[in-house]
Structures are given as structure tokens and as C-alpha cells.
Amino acid sequence: MTGSQSSSPPLIDFQRLVVAVRRHRRLWITFALLGLVIGGAVAVLLPAPPTAITKIIVVHPDDSPTDSGTLMRTDVAVLETAKIASAALKKVHSTEATEDFLKDYTGLGLTNNVMQVTVTAKTKEDALAKAQALADVFIADHVQRNQAAATAQAKALLDQRTQAQQQLAQIDSQAATEADKGSRANAGTLEQLYTQRADLVSKIADLQNQAQQAGIGTPQVAAGTQIVDAPAIQKVSLLKTAATNGAIGFALGLALGLALAMVTALVRDRPVLRREVSEHLGASVIAQLPSKLRGPKRLWAKSKPVVERKRVAVTLVRAARAERGPLSLLELGAPGVAAGLALDMAAELAEDGPVVVIDDLPGHDAKRLTVAGDVKVVEVGDPSSKRAVYRLGVGTVAPGTAWTDLAYLGTETVLVVRSGYANTLWLHTVARQLADCGIPILGVVLVDPDPKDQTDGTLWDGLHTALRGRASVVAAKQVERPNAALGALNAPNAALGAGGEKPAEPLRKFVEQEPEKPIDWPVEHDVNDTTIEAPVVEPAKPATPVETNGHLDAPTRRLSPVPRNPEERAPEQRKSEPGNSEMPTKNFAPVQSGPES
């Protein structure tokens, strides 16, 4: 088992996938352009609603240069709460639902202390009013929260001062009681009490100062937090919006088109490579043709497809001339190309005699084309097709084909297959049906192939049907024909000398035959258009002259077999025998008799 047979095919053939996607470029380019057009149309037909933008500077009491934006993210989160949104709606006297209004505005922290508020509304006035209300409500809430925090801190400090004063009163009472003892008082205890009293007095003074400072609040927060940019309607450029939406639509359409092309290539399983087409049909790709030019190339290369088609027709005509049997062209997805190729072949063959093209295409494409030379296009069953020197059939192997009728179009066929038209299952069906009908496939003409396909479409196990193997086959047949003719001419002489009886004497004298001329062998070309020289066959040796009597020089119109028994021969023939003696007769090759003298 060879390496190619033992190795299993890959799950995904990326080369085939790339070729399939490239062949479907019109699909994904159409999707991309459609997305571009839809994006631009949305910008024009559905313009963005009026948008108001305002900027607020926010002062934080605990702000520090090392802050990474945590305080600003907190402020943005507070701005987008239902409490702020509801308060802003109440301020503008709007009946809009809070949940809907939360979707119409956003906050964005530009720096650690600057926040941008964006509000959209149905009208410009409504957008401006809502943006102003949001900014005012947020500033008031921010100042109130900081003031409430300062008040709570002052109250906590005052509570601590009260507790320190109560402890100071107890220590004073203990120190007075110990001092009343007079000489019995403990000096160490008094000193400890006095030390605690001094600490409490200092603590109470500090708490008093802190409570006063906290009571003042955070005036820098209230004064610094304000609107730095008044609400204003954002100017929208229609051209910029259309370009942005178009670019987004183009990218989305391109992605969708490429994805659809890939999925289609994997699911539909339609061979596009020369290698795949030849493997599934069991025949080599001998030529390829473009279906038609697209784009600006049609302006300066309009005749290129016609020239390519005529070149392929000349290649196929060599096979039709080598074998006088009828040849057919069967299309699969390319009826127009097959019809044009058949007429080009007929024009080349018309130099040798009348040519009849049998048009069995569903749309009769061959009849609608211009016919040149001694070429006649007929339908199936026309009696004139039997009197032609050459006969070409044009049919189809598309679904719905009458397979048993293909043998009437030709004993051999060339398939004209459009790349990517049929799936693998149908290609197998075509190959199997043609094999059942006994119609060998000489080769495949691939239509509209991928220009970057570098795969080999040659099968090396079908030399008996491939064009590259027909030179030796034709040469062998040409050699067999002269030998068979000579054997047929010598057969009567062999019959006369059988059985040991006296053979009949020759009826006339034959002249020495001229040697046969060398056969002009047709020049074949293989799939790579390389000339293959036909084998040289030596001419037959001239026949040996036969010695006959002079009185037998009279010409004879027809040779009759001589009876084996001499008694059965006519009296006149027995009298002509000199001396009635037996004379051996040499084998000779009869030639065409001349007119009677």
C-alpha cells in the first residue's frame, strides 16, 4: 500500500477551503458592501437623538495624589443610581419612568476630579434640562453626603469629650478624698491621680478642638464641587457618523460573509480543485476554460475565452480524427461552453468532410450559435447524421439525464464540467452511469477553474482512455489493418493447397506489386501538450512475381474457387491443362481485376 493510499484525508482540507472561499468572493464582498450601505443609511435615515453634555469637577475631602480613580468611579456609580435619577426627574417635572431615564444618561470619569455627564432625549431642550438637573442633584447629594459625614464626626468627638470629662470628675473626687487624709495620705497615689487628671484635661481640650473643626464641616467640598461646563448640545457630523456606521457595517458584513462562505464550502462538498474532480470522475483533466470574463477585463480581453476555447477544440479534434467513431461532449453546469466547443471542433473537422453536430442539450444551445463551414446542427434522430463523415454529439449529464440515450451521441465522450457546480455524490453517479453504458471518458475539460489552483488533475492508472495513451493504441490498430488485409487476400490460395490435392493453376499473370507507402501517423499530444511521436512501422515487403504460361494472360473479371476434385471441373478447364500434369502453384496476392479484353 502506497503512502497516498495509507494516509487518511484530513478532516478539513484548508487548501480546498481557501479556494472555495476565494471562489465565493462575490458572496462575502456583497455582504460587506451591503453592511457598508446599511450602516450609512442608518446614519441618514435614523439620526442620533439630541445629546447634551456637561462636565462637573468633584472635590473629595480624602483626595490624594496616589488615588487610582477609585473615588471617581464611586461618584459615577452614585450618579447612575435610581435616587439621583428620580430626583432629577422631579426637578424637571418629568413623568418619565426612572428605569427608562437611567438608560438615557451615562457618567464618565475623565480624571480623578472631573466627571462628564451625557444625556440623550427626544428634544434638545429636554436634553439640556435633564443634564442640568442631573448635575445639580449630584452636586447637592455630594455636598450633603460630605456634610453629613462631618456632622457625624463632630458628634462622635463631642461624645468622647463628655466621657473624658466624666472620668476627670471621678479622678478629681478621688484626689480630694486622698488629700483630706492629711499626713496619712499616700503620696504615690496622689501623684498617680494627678498624672491621670493632667492627661484627661489635655484630651478634653483636643476633643473640643476637633469637634469644633468637624462642626464647621467641609467648606472646600461645598465650594469646589461645581459645574465647570454648562450643559450643551453635542454637535453631530452627519458625514462622520455615516462613515463610522458604514465602517462598522462593512466589518460585520465581511465577517458574516466569510463565515457563510466557509460553512457553505464545508457543508455542500462541491469539488473545486482539479485533483478532486479527476479523482471523483475517474478521468484526467485535459484542459480548462474560463466561463466568461468579469469586471473591467471584458473591455480589453473580450476575445480571450474564444481563443482558449478554439485551442482546446484543436486538441480534442486530434482524438476525433484518430478514431472515426462518434465522439460526444457531455456538459455538467456549462451548456454554453460545451455547445461552443462542439461547433469549434466541427469547424476543424469540416476540412475533411461534412460534419453533423447532434444537439441534445435541454436548451438547444448549439442551434442558437453561428455555424461555420460544412457543419450541420441537427437534433437526435435526424437521418442526416448517418451520412456524415464525422459526427459529434452534445448532451448533458445533469440530474434528469436519460443515461441509456447517451450511447447514441457517441461511443466515447469528453466531459465539460464547471468547477464547484456538482457535489461529490453526483460526480460519482456520472462516472458510474457512463461506465455502465460502456462509454469511456477520454478526459475532462474544467470550466471556470480557480486561477491559483496548482493541484495535478492527471490520473496515472487510466492510460487506456487518456489522450496521452491513444498514440500507441492508434498505431497498433493501423498496423493490424494492413496485416489483416494481406491475410484475407492470401486465404483463397491457402484453401486451394489444403488436403494434398493438385491446386488450380493461376488464371492470369500478376505484375510485381509496389511497396506500400509509409503511414502518415497522427501526432498526439499528452496532457502537458508535449508531442508524442508515433511508432515507425516498416512498409510491407513487395509480393514475389508469379511465373505463368503465356496463354493465360487473358484478364479475368472475377476469381472463382477451383474444385478440389479434378473430375468436378469443367471440360474446357481440363483441356487447358498442358499434359494434364500436376504443377505446384505458389501463393499469390490477387489484385483488382481489369476490364475484359
Side-chain angles (χ1 to χ4, degrees):
M1 182 178 292
T2 61
S4 60
Q5 295 176 347
S6 60
S7 60
S8 59
L11 182 61
I12 298 178
D13 191 350
F14 289 99
Q15 182 182 10
R16 177 175 175 271
L17 184 62
V18 171
V19 172
V21 171
R22 186 165 55 243
R23 288 181 59 84
H24 289 82
R25 56 185 176 274
R26 286 185 293 178
L27 173 65
W28 47 266
I29 289 177
T30 301
F31 270 85
L33 295 178
L34 185 62
L36 178 64
V37 172
I38 292 177
V42 167
V44 176
L45 301 178
L46 299 176
T51 303
I53 296 178
T54 182
K55 294 180 181 179
I56 305 172
I57 184 170
V58 183
V59 178
H60 304 98
D62 299 331
D63 197 3
S64 63
T66 59
D67 181 45
S68 60
T70 304
L71 297 176
M72 180 53 65
R73 288 195 294 270
T74 302
D75 294 335
V76 171
V78 172
L79 176 69
E80 296 177 351
T81 56
K83 176 184 177 181
I84 302 298
S86 178
L89 290 176
K90 288 181 181 179
K91 189 171 184 179
V92 297
H93 307 288
S94 176
T95 58
E96 184 180 359
T98 304
E99 293 78 7
D100 297 336
F101 183 54
L102 286 172
K103 301 176 183 178
D104 294 338
Y105 75 90
T106 57
L108 177 63
L110 301 179
T111 64
N112 289 345
N113 297 100
V114 178
M115 180 172 60
Q116 175 179 291
V117 181
T118 305
V119 183
T120 58
K122 295 181 180 179
T123 61
K124 296 181 179 180
E125 294 76 10
D126 192 15
L128 292 173
K130 289 181 178 179
Q132 184 67 40
L134 275 173
D136 294 340
V137 169
F138 175 76
I139 291 174
D141 181 75
H142 182 70
V143 172
Q144 182 183 1
R145 284 186 289 105
N146 283 276
Q147 188 64 38
T151 302
Q153 184 178 4
K155 183 177 181 302
L157 291 174
L158 292 176
D159 291 343
Q160 291 181 8
R161 186 196 64 179
T162 302
Q163 293 179 2
Q165 288 176 351
Q166 292 176 359
Q167 292 178 4
L168 180 60
Q170 293 178 1
I171 290 175
D172 287 342
S173 175
Q174 293 177 2
T177 303
E178 190 66 26
D180 291 342
K181 292 181 180 181
S183 60
R184 291 180 300 173
N186 189 349
T189 301
L190 288 175
E191 184 178 1
Q192 184 179 4
L193 290 174
Y194 290 148
T195 301
Q196 293 178 358
R197 183 177 182 280
D199 292 339
L200 288 174
V201 169
S202 176
K203 183 179 179 180
I204 291 171
D206 293 339
L207 290 174
Q208 182 68 28
N209 293 332
Q210 292 177 9
Q212 291 177 357
Q213 294 292 334
I216 296 174
T218 55
Q220 70 275 13
V221 173
T225 303
Q226 58 183 348
I227 299 175
V228 292
D229 279 347
I233 298 297
Q234 183 182 13
K235 294 182 179 181
V236 179
S237 175
L238 182 60
L239 182 60
K240 184 178 180 180
T241 304
T244 304
N245 293 349
I248 296 174
F250 181 84
L252 294 178
L254 182 62
L256 180 61
L258 288 174
L260 183 60
M262 292 181 184
V263 173
T264 303
L266 294 175
V267 173
R268 299 176 71 180
D269 189 20
R270 296 191 175 185
V272 294
L273 301 177
R274 287 194 294 265
R275 178 190 64 213
E276 296 178 332
V277 173
S278 62
E279 289 177 356
H280 296 311
L281 286 177
S284 300
V285 176
I286 58 177
Q288 59 184 26
L289 288 173
S291 58
K292 60 181 179 178
L293 296 178
R294 300 185 179 91
K297 290 184 179 180
R298 291 180 294 180
L299 301 178
W300 63 81
K302 186 176 182 180
S303 61
K304 185 177 180 180
V306 179
V307 174
E308 290 291 329
R309 192 181 63 196
K310 290 183 178 180
R311 183 185 63 81
V312 175
V314 172
T315 302
L316 299 179
V317 162
R318 297 191 186 104
R321 280 176 174 165
E323 289 291 335
R324 291 302 181 102
L327 181 68
S328 65
L329 297 178
L330 302 179
E331 65 84 22
L332 184 58
V337 177
L341 187 60
L343 293 184
D344 291 340
M345 293 178 60
E348 293 289 334
L349 292 172
E351 300 176 358
D352 300 338
V355 181
V356 171
V357 178
I358 303 175
D359 187 3
D360 195 28
L361 295 173
H364 297 290
D365 298 81
K367 279 192 172 183
R368 291 183 285 183
L369 299 178
T370 304
V371 180
D374 192 3
V375 179
K376 185 178 181 181
V377 180
V378 299
E379 295 183 2
V380 178
D382 195 300
S384 61
S385 61
K386 301 179 180 179
R387 297 190 296 269
V389 177
Y390 291 106
R391 188 179 71 185
L392 289 176
V394 187
T396 180
V397 288
T401 300
W403 302 104
T404 55
D405 295 342
L406 297 180
Y408 296 99
L409 299 178
T411 57
E412 295 179 334
T413 186
V414 174
L415 295 180
V416 183
V417 182
R418 182 179 297 277
S419 177
Y421 177 78
N423 55 18
T424 303
L425 180 60
W426 186 250
L427 293 181
H428 290 176
T429 301
V430 171
R432 185 175 62 253
Q433 292 290 348
L434 292 177
D436 293 341
C437 294
I439 303 176
I441 304 175
L442 298 184
V444 179
V445 178
L446 195 61
V447 180
D448 194 17
D450 185 76
K452 296 184 179 180
D453 182 12
Q454 302 296 332
T455 59
D456 186 14
T458 304
L459 294 182
W460 299 102
D461 54 353
L463 191 63
H464 60 289
T465 59
L467 288 181
R468 66 180 186 277
R470 296 180 64 79
S472 59
V473 175
V474 173
K477 290 184 178 180
Q478 294 291 350
V479 172
E480 292 175 0
R481 288 174 182 172
N483 296 336
L486 293 176
L489 292 176
N490 292 329
N493 294 333
L496 290 176
E501 300 178 357
K502 181 179 72 175
E505 294 183 0
L507 300 180
R508 60 167 296 181
K509 180 170 69 176
F510 293 90
V511 297
E512 182 177 356
Q513 295 183 356
E514 296 181 359
E516 294 184 1
K517 296 182 179 180
I519 300 174
D520 188 10
W521 299 102
V523 180
E524 293 294 329
H525 293 261
D526 64 354
V527 72
N528 296 321
D529 204 22
T530 303
T531 303
I532 300 177
E533 298 295 340
V536 178
V537 181
E538 297 181 359
K541 296 182 179 180
T544 305
V546 182
E547 297 179 358
T548 58
N549 296 328
H551 66 280
L552 297 177
D553 292 337
T556 304
R557 180 181 298 275
R558 184 175 181 182
L559 299 176
S560 301
V562 179
R564 297 182 180 180
N565 190 357
E567 300 298 329
E568 297 176 1
R569 288 180 289 184
E572 293 80 2
Q573 188 175 3
R574 291 197 301 269
K575 291 179 180 179
S576 62
E577 298 177 359
N580 199 14
S581 61
E582 297 182 0
M583 296 179 61
T585 305
K586 299 182 180 179
N587 291 336
F588 60 91
V591 297
Q592 186 177 0
S593 60
E596 296 181 356
S597 58

